Amino acid sequence: MYDIDDASYAEYRRKRVQRLKKIIPVTILIAILIPLTCSVIFILLYAHSRRQYDELNARYEELLATMESLRENISSVPEEQDVYSVSEVTESERDYDEYADEVYQENSPVDAADDESDVRRVYLTFDDGPSDTVTPEILNILKKNGIKATFFICNYDEKTKPMLKREIDEGHTVAIHGYTHDYDVAYASTDAYMENIQKLADKVYADFGYKAFTTRFLGGSSNTISEKYCDGIM
């Protein structure tokens, strides 16, 4: 009887040792693979973030260079280029001419009384803001050089709201680009387009008491974008 029990116990130990021999290498392999995999993921994420940072930094440097070039060459702009193009929005149910005349004196970037024919001007416009990273840099450069600009804005939140307030407080013109920049939504219909403008204009007025009456079409003032979604908007 004892011999049989001893034999069973010996078999049990043998099988247990065999299982441990299989488990130990697997455990060691897992212990190596987990930190190695995490390291690879971290390196890939870092490389991706670095590329994004480099791209944004390159765009930022390009913007600074462009603005500096404009500032240095503003006096050499030909007189025939002295044009201030404004995209006008009309709607059958509402006459915007009277509304624009009413607020023009409040928000006009140029005083008509001081507009001499021999004065050469370049009008700087910026689309798609406000941004809590790029907009402050632009405003700093404009303020440093005593330049006013027009900002065609999209919807903003509490984080970017101070940037919009600064644009207004520093005498820049705030204009409407659209509550949303999603072409599918903004160009779904004529009514949808007008609502996309009016919704943001109402929000700006409610937050700052500022009447924005100028707009710029999403995707540009040609109909190469809007016609893909809805005919007749332009």
Side-chain angles (χ1 to χ4, degrees), residues 7-215:
S8 299
Y9 180 70
E11 179 67 16
Y12 165 75
R13 284 179 58 87
R14 185 183 66 81
K15 291 182 179 179
R16 183 179 180 185
V17 170
Q18 289 179 344
R19 286 196 299 269
L20 288 174
K21 287 181 178 180
K22 294 180 180 178
I23 293 173
I24 290 174
V26 172
T27 303
I28 294 174
L29 182 61
I30 292 175
I32 294 174
L33 287 177
I34 288 177
L36 181 61
T37 302
C38 292
S39 299
V40 171
I41 293 174
F42 173 79
I43 292 172
L44 291 175
L45 290 175
Y46 172 80
H48 178 68
S49 299
R50 182 68 188 184
R51 283 196 302 270
Q52 287 187 322
Y53 170 80
D54 291 340
E55 290 175 0
L56 290 173
N57 189 59
R59 291 174 61 186
Y60 169 70
E61 294 295 336
E62 183 180 354
L63 176 62
L64 290 181
T66 301
M67 294 189 65
E68 184 66 20
S69 176
L70 285 172
R71 185 182 67 83
E72 293 176 353
N73 296 287
I74 191 171
S75 60
S76 63
V77 175
E79 187 172 354
E80 58 269 22
Q81 295 185 11
D82 182 19
V83 178
Y84 185 29
S85 299
V86 179
S87 303
E88 296 183 356
V89 178
T90 60
E91 182 184 28
S92 57
E93 292 93 357
R94 181 176 179 183
D95 182 7
Y96 281 88
D97 291 338
E98 182 178 350
Y99 174 60
D101 290 340
E102 175 186 346
V103 300
Y104 182 78
Q105 296 300 325
E106 301 176 21
N107 302 314
S108 175
V110 178
D111 187 348
D114 296 333
D115 186 15
E116 301 176 1
S117 59
D118 60 344
V119 175
R120 297 174 179 178
R121 292 188 176 90
V122 171
Y123 290 87
L124 294 179
T125 64
F126 300 91
D127 294 356
D128 302 341
S131 161
D132 61 336
T133 55
V134 178
T135 303
E137 297 295 335
I138 294 175
L139 289 172
N140 289 341
I141 295 172
L142 294 174
K143 186 175 182 180
K144 178 181 178 181
N145 294 279
I147 299 173
K148 303 302 181 184
T150 300
F151 292 85
F152 289 90
I153 66 168
C154 293
N155 187 31
Y156 54 91
D157 54 22
E158 290 302 317
K159 187 177 181 180
T160 54
K161 186 176 179 180
M163 298 302 98
L164 182 54
K165 183 177 186 302
R166 184 179 168 188
E167 291 172 3
I168 296 172
D169 291 345
E170 294 183 6
H172 301 289
T173 298
V174 173
I176 304 300
H177 204 29
Y179 191 88
T180 177
H181 206 290
D182 188 337
Y183 295 147
D184 289 323
V185 177
Y187 288 138
S189 66
T190 303
D191 289 340
Y193 177 74
M194 295 307 305
E195 181 181 355
N196 192 48
I197 294 174
Q198 194 60 48
K199 185 176 182 180
L200 183 56
D202 291 343
K203 180 177 180 180
V204 172
Y205 184 74
D207 287 343
F208 305 102
Y210 183 95
K211 295 180 180 179
F213 67 93
T214 308
T215 185

